């Protein structure tokens, strides 16, 4: 593409959208990112991510940010631990003391977000721009309608707007479905001093304790913080069935404790000792396979294209690979339509394969013998 490059709009300032914008800018292709958040600091970006060499790290290398990433990454965060309901450590996969370029080093989502944002030209991201509607106006051009009443036209609209994508509605009728599993998130600060028992149980990476279709997933973040997901295979409206007000911290704690009767006191500390209260997070996934008919002027990446369970460990990695591949297609092809066609030929089959694996992983983990299934997986991969 040359200096007459059309207007490209990325909807959503997540890892995939920002990766795409960064690579386009490195090749002097103008791009604007629109995000509904009021500012980069408007909300917590979430937990920790492992960046895989052939996906997330590949995209960071294409964005000329791999060295910056490695300076922030935590290779020790690759440690994976499986614990029984009795608190006994069943498996402990400790990564080798090797160069940080090996394996899948971890990084906090917030740090990755800042790294990508800071790499863009000032003003690239337009904050507080919530897309309410995407309207086709002919010749592959689409008009973006924002909540503040403003509009803008673009010759390519890239839906990087996550699980409940507005852009996806123009391409497919598919909507995310509840996976049957809910995470209730809790947080712990200054853990090595204030929560040494939980810090020791979590160690340097991720600890999972699974039994009878429920359990705990505990992740070490930077800054002495641990993020915990109390996980349950349960109805989506479990809290309503229990007559529970999710803002009543004591009531949520007591209800969760009643669901984990008989579990080790060491593990129950992940419920009782939270510094942050609790956030209910039902897990959704798009149906598999999720594909769409090519439509000029539109495409998707990341969760908008292939929302899947976090048990794949692939969500952010695939989003960033999508962003890198789409940017490269736009660089390599003479027209937007040729670029998007080439990109979607790569994206769609890859997405289906990854989503099938993710659906299998969450079903295995929260099956009656989930602990044995995850142990087999960990033993194979560590």
């Amino acid at each position: 593409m040359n200096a007459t490059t059309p207007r490209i709009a990325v909807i959503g300032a997540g890892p995939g959208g920002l990766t795409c914008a960064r690579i386009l800018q490195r090749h002097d292709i103008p791009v604007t990112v629109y995000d509904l958040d009021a500012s980069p600091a408007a909300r917590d970006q979430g937990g920790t991510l492992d960046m895989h060499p052939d996906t997330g790290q590949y995209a960071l290398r294409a964005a000329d940010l791999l060295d910056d990433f490695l300076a922030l990454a935590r290779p020790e965060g690759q440690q994976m631990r499986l614990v029984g309901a009795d608190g006994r450590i069943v498996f402990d996969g400790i990564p080798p003391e090797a160069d940080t370029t090996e394996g899948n080093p971890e990084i906090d989502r917030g740090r990755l977000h800042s790294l990508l944002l800071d790499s863009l030209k000032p003003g690239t991201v337009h904050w507080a721009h919530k897309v309410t509607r995407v309207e086709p106006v002919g010749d592959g051009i689409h008009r973006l309608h924002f909540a503040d009443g403003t509009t803008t036209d673009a010759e390519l609209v890239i839906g990087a707007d996550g699980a409940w994508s507005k852009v996806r509605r123009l391409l497919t009728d598919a909507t995310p479905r509840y996976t049957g599993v809910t995470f209730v998130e809790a947080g712990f600060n200054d853990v090595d001093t204030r929560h040494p028992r939980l810090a020791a149980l979590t160690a340097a990476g991720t600890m999972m304790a699974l039994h009878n279709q429920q359990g705990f997933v505990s992740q070490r973040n930077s800054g002495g913080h641990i993020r915990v997901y109390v996980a349950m295979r349960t109805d989506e409206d479990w809290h309503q069935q229990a007559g529970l007000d999710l803002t009543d911290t004591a009531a949520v704690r007591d209800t969760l404790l009643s669901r984990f009767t008989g579990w080790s006191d060491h593990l129950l500390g992940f419920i009782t000792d939270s510094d942050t209260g609790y956030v209910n997070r039902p897990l959704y996934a798009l149906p598999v396979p999720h594909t769409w008919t090519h439509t000029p002027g539109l495409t998707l990446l990341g969760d908008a294209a292939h929302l899947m369970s976090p048990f794949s460990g692939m969500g952010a990695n695939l989003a960033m690979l999508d962003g890198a591949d789409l940017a490269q297609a736009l660089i390599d092809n003479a027209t937007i339509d040729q670029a998007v066609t080439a990109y979607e030929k790569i994206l769609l089959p890859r997405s289906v394969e990854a989503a099938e694996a993710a659906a299998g992983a969450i079903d295995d983990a929260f099956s009656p013998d989930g602990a044995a299934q995850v142990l087999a997986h960990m033993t194979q991969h560590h």
Side-chain angles (χ1 to χ4, degrees):
M1 291 190 175
N2 53 35
T4 61
T5 298
R7 291 156 294 176
I8 297 174
V10 175
I11 314 303
L18 294 177
T19 298
C20 185
R22 160 67 177 179
I23 296 171
L24 289 175
Q25 285 190 345
R26 286 194 68 223
H27 291 81
D28 299 318
I29 296 176
V31 58
T32 305
V33 180
Y34 299 94
D35 196 90
L36 56 79
D37 285 345
S39 74
R43 62 184 172 88
D44 177 40
Q45 293 297 319
T48 183
L49 300 166
D50 57 338
M51 290 281 102
H52 303 180
D54 56 347
T55 51
Q57 289 186 53
Y58 170 90
L60 287 162
R61 184 179 290 108
D64 195 28
L65 294 172
L66 185 60
D67 288 344
D68 301 275
F69 159 74
L70 293 172
L72 296 170
R74 293 178 288 106
E76 70 280 2
Q78 296 174 79
Q79 183 174 359
M80 291 292 297
R81 179 175 279 184
L82 185 64
V83 174
D86 57 2
R88 182 175 55 88
I89 296 171
V90 177
F91 177 87
D92 201 5
I94 302 173
E97 292 185 17
D99 189 291
T100 54
T101 56
E102 294 189 17
N104 308 326
E106 298 272 339
I107 188 170
D108 286 11
R109 282 182 178 269
R111 289 191 168 187
L112 178 65
H113 191 241
S114 296
L115 171 64
L116 290 165
L117 270 181
D118 292 346
S119 75
L120 298 176
K121 295 175 182 176
T124 300
V125 181
H126 291 210
W127 300 103
H129 276 67
K130 180 181 180 180
V131 174
T132 56
R133 186 161 61 96
V134 182
E135 176 191 7
V137 293
D139 295 329
I141 297 171
H142 290 80
R143 182 162 297 150
L144 302 173
H145 294 257
F146 299 104
D148 63 2
T150 61
T151 63
T152 192
D153 291 356
E155 277 122 307
L156 176 60
V157 177
I158 300 169
D161 48 343
W164 308 102
S165 170
K166 292 284 198 306
V167 181
R168 186 173 61 229
R169 296 177 187 178
L170 276 77
L171 293 169
T172 167
D173 293 332
T175 55
R177 301 171 185 169
Y178 179 54
T179 61
V181 175
T182 287
F183 282 0
V184 180
E185 182 180 330
F188 303 80
N189 301 320
D190 192 16
V191 292
D192 297 299
T193 301
R194 299 187 61 241
H195 305 283
R197 191 168 64 175
L198 301 181
L201 202 54
T202 303
T206 298
M207 185 277 313
M208 281 194 278
L210 299 168
H211 175 67
N212 196 25
Q213 304 186 79
Q214 60 186 34
F216 300 91
V217 181
S218 172
Q219 289 184 327
R220 173 77 70 151
N221 292 196
S222 57
H225 184 76
I226 284 176
R227 196 176 297 254
V228 173
Y229 304 99
V230 184
M232 306 174 288
R233 183 172 288 284
T234 188
D235 292 334
E236 188 175 2
D237 63 348
W238 68 276
H239 49 96
Q240 293 166 341
Q241 292 179 19
L244 187 61
D245 177 356
L246 289 170
T247 64
D248 185 340
T249 300
V252 174
R253 181 185 65 233
D254 291 345
T255 301
L256 291 175
L257 283 173
S258 72
R259 284 175 164 257
F260 284 81
T261 302
W263 285 65
S264 160
D265 286 345
H266 291 285
L267 289 165
L268 294 179
F270 286 124
I271 296 174
T272 58
D273 299 351
S274 173
D275 294 324
T276 60
Y278 309 95
V279 180
N280 188 57
R281 298 197 185 283
L283 302 182
Y284 299 93
L286 281 165
V288 183
H290 176 239
T291 61
W292 59 88
T293 302
H294 172 74
T295 302
L298 294 174
T299 195
L300 305 173
L301 62 76
D303 284 351
H306 45 66
L307 178 69
M308 61 188 75
S309 100
F311 267 68
S312 69
M314 288 294 291
N317 279 281
L318 272 184
M320 292 169 69
L321 181 61
D322 294 347
D325 284 346
L326 176 53
Q328 193 60 51
L330 288 163
I331 293 159
D332 290 344
N333 286 273
T335 70
I336 279 183
D337 206 54
Q338 289 170 354
V340 172
T341 299
Y343 160 70
E344 289 176 349
K345 283 181 180 175
I346 299 169
L347 166 82
L348 292 171
R350 175 173 73 203
S351 300
V352 171
E353 183 181 354
E356 286 175 343
I362 195 169
D363 284 347
D364 288 348
F366 294 97
S367 62
D369 63 341
Q373 298 264 16
V374 172
L375 177 60
H377 177 80
M378 286 184 172
T379 304
Q380 179 182 352
H381 288 85
H382 291 265

